[in-house]
Amino acid sequence: MGGRLASVGAEETLLSEGWNLVLTEPGACLTPHDIPPSSRFIAAPVPGTVADALERAGLFDRENPEPLNTKDAWYVCRLFDAQPGDVILRFGGLATLCHVFLNGQEILSSESMFTAHEIPVTLMGGDDLVLCFRALGPRLSEPGARARWRPQMIAPQGLKNFRTTLLGHMPGWCPEIHAVGPWRPITLVRRSVMSIDNVSIRAVLENGVGRLSVSLHADAENPEMLLRCGEVEQGFEKIGGNHYSAILKLPEVTPWWPHTHGTPHLYELTLVSDGTEYSLGKTGFRRIEIDRGVDGDGFGLRVNGEPVFCRGAVWTTADIVRLPGFRADYEPFLRLAAGAGMNMIRIGGTMAYETPEFFELCDELGILVWQDFMFANFDYPRSDKAFTGHVHAEVEGFIHGVQASPSLAVLCGGSEIYQQAAMLGLPQEFWRGPLTEDVIPAIAERMRPDVPYVPNSPHGGAMPFSPNTGVTHYYGIGAYMRPLEDARRADVRFAAETLAFAHAPQQKTLQRHLDVPAVHSPLWKARVPRDRGASWDFEDVRDFYLKELYNVDPAALRRENPERYLDLSRAATGEVLTETFAEWRRKGSNCNGALVWTLQDILPGPGWGVVDSTGEPKPVWFAMRRAFRPIQVLLTDEGTNGLDVHVINETGESLPVELEVVCLRDGKQRAVSGSQALILAPRSTEKLAATELFGAFFDTTYAFRFGPPSHDVTVARLRSVDGGLLAEAFHFPLGRSKAFHDAAIDVKAVEDGGNWTLELQADRFAQSVHVDVPNYRAADDWFHLAPGSVKRVPLHGLAGATKGEAPSGEIRTLGGSRILAI
């Protein structure tokens, strides 16, 4: 993939207008001249895909896709505005087998979706540029190197021989929408006398000092150049030929942090050449190391010397039809990720590389990026020189494009290659190979030595997927339907994937985009993800935990009361996430991070995403936002040891707080309570027994059962010294269904400077309160509301909100039948 720093001081023109597309039978036309004049052309966006062009023309339905890899796709453009002369044609990415013609002559043959190309050409004026994407489908049946195993989840097997995304080739995971076309920009570059290219940037944090190294190639002879970063400047020195280098030190550098632990501080980089300033973008200074733990079996990240609990989700794509790569495409999803308290996003090996704009946003937002290279599950060719050449170009091109990004935190050889071989019973020597053990890490070490490398995800342990060693993909809670206690029993060290459920979206999303009988409609079931060949799907997984949490029969409930079934489903996956992350973040846990599968859906419906494909957060997103708070209070049930309270401060400052724990009978009467003032040290986790606050024994977990239960819910509150609520946690000693109460909630809409906030106060404990206000998104939703305090919920106006007009809507709870009007 081409980098943002490929050249400086050159004139670049984006070739995005005037493209037309026509499909022909495979091999029917060998050159552009063979395209029949009567062919039906349609306008085509570039960058873009065949699916995108057809969808815009009303010829493609993403919900019922037709195969796109069975035709040749021709993109044709007349360069009317391009002046004659020597130029460079830069192709950011061509999916997947592509021949490029200029004025009828072939100038490029590309076999990898993930490789950028720069082709010097001479334009004559009014030139014809034509791209032919040959049908990949017929090629997938060609014999290649014999594979030692065949993955079940990907079809067909011949994909292992071609460098293309697996999106669209995983039945049950995503719609079969094939990536074909110029999915990354095509630009025309004219070099100037002062053109600068091959820019290499390396930013390092060493003992509190920022060290910036920049090297480049300049066409001009002995230009006067200097590098500026912050308030510091350094001249370039010639190191041979037309190559120059500058090393700059910032003794009082402000480090870059993930946003949960500090400020993601960035520095502008400027190249000054003969008095003219050129931006080299931004960078940040940070140090990232792998922490294996005391026993050497763990996995965690230390950022600037501090352990960071990594939490977040696995990225899919901003749009599976368009495969877009601009800032505006990424920003809504990444801002929701940061807003939910995520500090890490993983781009898995079954997806596609994203552009430097993705990483620039993560740099700004303080989100770490775990980057798999696009290799997954297959036994890839080991001795194919052409394939290895593609790997070199792919890996080098990607790393060059993100060489200045401080957010790049982990480079990984791929996804589930080792796991796939191990689960098929093959010995360890079959798991590993030169691709992930030698080729990729050598390039990564040369180009980004500041980024830790992991051979595969998962990796480590007696089996590569063993949760108690290294990196795992943990689905004990989830697909394998283990009880919630398994989060502790499994001793998870770092889960690069976890907690996959068919998350139900908000009702308004269903009404707009999937208005069918939930669960019962075949259209609904088609949107429920499943593992290929499995006898169950991820709605069955969700139902298992719905029954565990609420003591109901999901099958009977969805027949008799589908609305309540959906509401319980919306609450259930959030409760599972909350409880599981409380276990992993508690003091004494060996877990150093976990990433939920996945961030966003590909189509509207009950997919894996915590955000639906329209960009609307699902109910589970709000639970995640509460579970991921940097300043947090947690409750863990320790049986006859009672209830433990864990208080977390991930910030770099000491924090005075007030901790209160209350046990409520019938959701309103205080059975026992206690409070304590604490000063939380920076980057600390503290544990207290609840009885320390009470000053006497109380059966908080109802483990001793000396008599009838004394309470049905425990509430822990963490407040700042000025009384502001920082965090809450809840425990249900008798189960959640025993804490359903028909609470009366007083609701007020308060306006301040054109912004609206809801103020809610309950007479007793209200479980999973849902706020439904058309044209607004509540800052919190599906939350528990305890009596004794006012909860303020800001409302963020969406498209359609009328300025100055008071919001109206309704509030419902899981525990009661009341519908409260706002």
Side-chain angles (χ1 to χ4, degrees):
M1 306 295 295
R4 60 181 173 180
L5 302 173
S7 60
V8 176
E11 177 189 341
E12 286 196 54
T13 303
L14 183 65
L15 301 181
S16 59
E17 304 293 335
W19 290 91
N20 292 287
L21 167 68
V22 65
L23 302 180
T24 63
E25 293 300 317
C29 303
L30 298 182
T31 72
H33 301 299
D34 299 329
I35 302 174
S38 60
S39 298
R40 180 187 177 188
F41 284 85
I42 62 172
V46 175
T49 63
V50 170
D52 186 13
L54 293 175
E55 186 175 65
R56 292 175 186 230
L59 302 173
F60 185 79
D61 181 1
R62 67 174 67 201
E63 297 180 8
N64 299 284
E66 296 290 331
L68 296 175
N69 61 2
T70 59
K71 303 278 189 180
D72 288 348
W74 295 82
Y75 281 74
V76 178
C77 183
R78 174 68 63 87
L79 305 180
F80 288 108
D81 298 328
Q83 297 299 314
D86 293 338
V87 300
I88 295 173
L89 284 174
R90 180 177 295 153
F91 301 92
L94 303 167
T96 289
L97 303 176
C98 182
H99 299 271
V100 180
F101 300 86
L102 182 66
N103 298 326
Q105 299 297 314
E106 185 170 345
I107 60 172
L108 171 66
S109 176
S110 175
E111 296 182 336
S112 171
M113 175 178 176
F114 305 130
T115 302
H117 303 276
E118 293 187 349
I119 309 297
V121 298
T122 300
L123 298 183
M124 309 301 294
D127 302 81
D128 289 319
L129 182 60
V130 179
L131 284 62
C132 176
F133 295 90
R134 295 295 183 187
L136 182 61
R139 298 284 305 275
L140 296 177
S141 60
E142 294 178 358
R146 182 178 177 83
R148 295 167 298 172
W149 68 82
R150 297 167 66 88
Q152 174 73 10
M153 61 175 269
I154 305 168
Q157 300 296 315
L159 281 166
K160 67 179 173 55
N161 300 315
F162 296 91
R163 297 308 303 136
T164 192
T165 180
L166 298 181
L167 285 168
H169 298 281
M170 297 175 285
W173 280 39
C174 64
E176 295 184 44
I177 299 172
H178 303 135
V180 182
W183 71 302
R184 291 295 179 247
I186 300 174
T187 54
L188 188 153
V189 182
R190 294 182 186 272
R191 298 176 65 87
S192 67
V193 175
M194 196 43 232
S195 287
I196 295 168
D197 55 19
N198 294 329
V199 180
S200 175
I201 298 174
R202 184 171 297 174
V204 179
L205 182 64
E206 298 174 339
N207 300 317
V209 175
R211 185 175 183 272
L212 179 67
S213 304
V214 176
S215 62
L216 50 82
H217 175 277
D219 285 349
E221 287 295 327
N222 300 315
E224 292 187 8
M225 296 187 298
L226 62 84
L227 175 66
R228 180 188 303 146
C229 180
E231 301 299 320
V232 182
E233 295 182 346
Q234 178 65 48
F236 279 82
E237 295 182 1
K238 194 170 186 177
I239 57 176
N242 284 53
H243 288 84
Y244 300 83
S245 175
I247 299 176
L248 179 151
K249 292 185 178 181
L250 286 81
E252 297 182 359
V253 70
T254 302
W256 183 95
W257 287 95
H259 73 100
T260 51
H261 288 66
T263 301
H265 190 85
L266 295 173
Y267 285 84
E268 288 274 1
L269 303 185
T270 304
L271 170 67
V272 183
S273 179
D274 292 333
T276 303
E277 296 186 357
Y278 302 95
S279 174
L280 298 182
K282 297 180 181 180
T283 194
F285 297 88
R286 90 290 179 269
R287 187 174 79 257
I288 297 180
E289 304 157 293
I290 293 178
D291 184 356
R292 297 290 182 185
V294 176
D295 61 4
D297 289 334
F299 183 94
L301 293 185
R302 285 185 173 269
V303 180
N304 304 328
E306 297 289 345
V308 170
F309 185 91
C310 299
R311 64 273 198 176
V314 179
W315 176 267
T316 53
T317 175
D319 187 328
I320 193 172
V321 168
R322 297 188 296 121
L323 296 179
F326 293 113
R327 182 185 179 97
D329 305 304
Y330 299 131
E331 192 160 8
F333 293 110
L334 290 177
R335 288 202 177 277
L336 283 173
M342 301 185 199
N343 61 17
M344 177 173 274
I345 291 289
R346 174 172 166 245
I347 303 176
T350 54
M351 309 304 175
Y353 297 105
E354 302 298 348
T355 63
E357 286 84 347
F358 181 97
F359 288 84
E360 288 169 4
L361 266 167
C362 290
D363 293 344
E364 296 171 20
L365 295 171
I367 301 175
L368 300 164
V369 181
W370 175 304
Q371 175 70 59
D372 283 7
F373 291 99
M374 296 300 123
F375 303 93
N377 294 79
F378 283 121
D379 180 22
Y380 288 96
R382 292 177 165 231
S383 56
D384 186 319
K385 291 184 178 179
F387 185 88
T388 303
H390 290 318
V391 172
H392 274 273
E394 171 182 328
V395 173
E396 290 174 354
F398 167 76
I399 295 179
H400 179 78
V402 297
Q403 60 180 314
S405 290
S407 60
L408 184 61
V410 176
L411 289 169
C412 178
S415 172
E416 295 191 352
I417 299 173
Y418 294 15
Q419 172 174 298
Q420 186 74 77
M423 282 193 163
L424 291 173
L426 296 173
Q428 189 171 114
E429 57 266 25
F430 279 65
W431 312 345
R432 306 171 183 273
L435 178 68
T436 58
E437 298 285 341
D438 302 315
V439 176
I440 296 177
I443 300 170
E445 173 62 26
R446 170 169 53 85
M447 298 186 70
R448 284 298 302 257
D450 61 310
V451 180
Y453 177 79
V454 177
N456 218 242
S457 181
H459 178 266
M463 289 284 105
F465 46 83
S466 299
N468 62 358
T469 306
V471 177
T472 189
H473 290 180
Y474 173 73
Y475 292 113
I477 296 175
Y480 307 138
M481 302 185 199
R482 301 285 296 167
L484 295 182
E485 293 80 6
D486 196 65
R488 182 174 299 193
R489 185 179 301 121
D491 192 20
V492 175
R493 300 302 185 95
F494 192 103
E497 293 178 15
T498 191
L499 300 184
F501 296 96
H503 296 295
Q506 300 277 31
Q507 189 61 32
K508 59 185 176 183
T509 298
L510 297 181
Q511 289 170 348
R512 294 171 188 167
H513 301 282
L514 190 61
D515 194 12
V516 300
V519 183
H520 306 295
S521 169
L523 293 175
W524 173 276
K525 269 300 183 185
R527 302 286 175 87
V528 176
R530 64 165 59 242
D531 282 332
R532 188 172 179 229
S535 60
W536 48 269
D537 62 28
F538 283 84
E539 193 154 63
D540 297 324
V541 173
R542 188 188 69 220
D543 281 354
F544 173 85
Y545 292 97
L546 190 154
K547 181 178 181 180
E548 289 287 302
L549 293 176
Y550 299 109
N551 195 29
V552 296
D553 180 356
L557 185 63
R558 65 191 184 200
R559 286 195 304 269
E560 299 163 5
N561 192 343
E563 291 80 11
R564 180 159 180 78
Y565 167 80
L566 274 181
D567 278 346
L568 285 172
S569 296
R570 293 179 176 113
T573 56
E575 292 293 290
V576 171
L577 184 145
T578 299
E579 201 155 314
T580 304
F581 272 91
E583 172 58 43
W584 287 339
R585 293 186 70 191
R586 68 179 173 85
K587 188 177 181 66
S589 168
N590 285 322
C591 185
N592 292 306
L595 308 177
V596 171
W597 181 270
T598 61
L599 176 62
Q600 72 271 65
D601 283 343
I602 290 176
L603 291 175
W608 282 312
V610 300
V611 176
D612 69 38
S613 62
T614 72
E616 184 66 23
K618 293 183 180 180
V620 67
W621 180 90
F622 296 95
M624 180 179 282
R625 189 170 185 262
R626 295 186 291 269
F628 287 1
R629 289 176 289 218
I631 301 169
Q632 181 69 303
V633 61
L634 308 169
L635 293 172
T636 58
D637 188 330
E638 306 298 330
T640 53
N641 286 315
L643 203 61
D644 277 351
V645 187
H646 306 263
V647 186
I648 300 171
N649 175 24
E650 291 181 329
T651 73
E653 306 295 330
S654 294
L655 188 66
V657 296
E658 181 80 13
L659 173 64
E660 179 189 30
V661 178
V662 181
C663 296
L664 299 174
R665 182 183 300 119
D666 298 326
K668 62 178 180 178
Q669 183 179 344
R670 289 192 173 214
V672 67
S673 65
S675 63
Q676 185 173 331
L678 302 170
I679 297 180
L680 304 180
R683 323 281 189 207
S684 67
T685 303
E686 301 297 332
K687 182 181 75 171
L688 303 87
T691 50
E692 289 185 42
L693 280 73
F694 303 153
F697 168 73
F698 184 81
D699 192 3
T700 50
T701 58
Y702 196 49
F704 294 93
R705 301 176 186 270
F706 290 150
S710 301
H711 68 299
D712 52 27
V713 61
T714 298
V715 183
R717 291 192 181 100
L718 195 66
R719 296 186 183 276
S720 60
V721 290
D722 61 3
L725 184 64
L726 298 171
E728 281 183 307
F730 304 88
H731 177 255
F732 304 93
L734 312 177
R736 286 163 178 78
S737 62
K738 298 294 184 181
F740 281 147
H741 301 290
D742 196 11
I745 302 177
D746 180 56
V747 186
K748 295 178 182 178
V750 179
E751 191 239 356
D752 181 13
N755 298 314
W756 290 93
T757 297
L758 298 182
E759 294 184 350
L760 293 79
Q761 190 167 14
D763 67 335
R764 65 190 66 201
F765 179 73
Q767 195 170 158
S768 297
V769 178
H770 172 43
V771 177
D772 184 7
V773 183
N775 301 322
Y776 287 87
R777 179 186 297 156
D780 200 5
D781 201 3
W782 298 92
F783 52 83
H784 302 322
L785 181 61
S789 64
V790 176
K791 182 176 179 69
R792 292 173 176 82
V793 181
L795 298 178
H796 303 298
L798 304 174
T802 303
K803 188 173 182 180
E805 184 177 323
S808 62
E810 62 183 38
I811 289 177
R812 293 180 287 116
T813 76
L814 280 189
S817 57
R818 309 184 197 203
I819 298 178
L820 307 169
I822 300 172

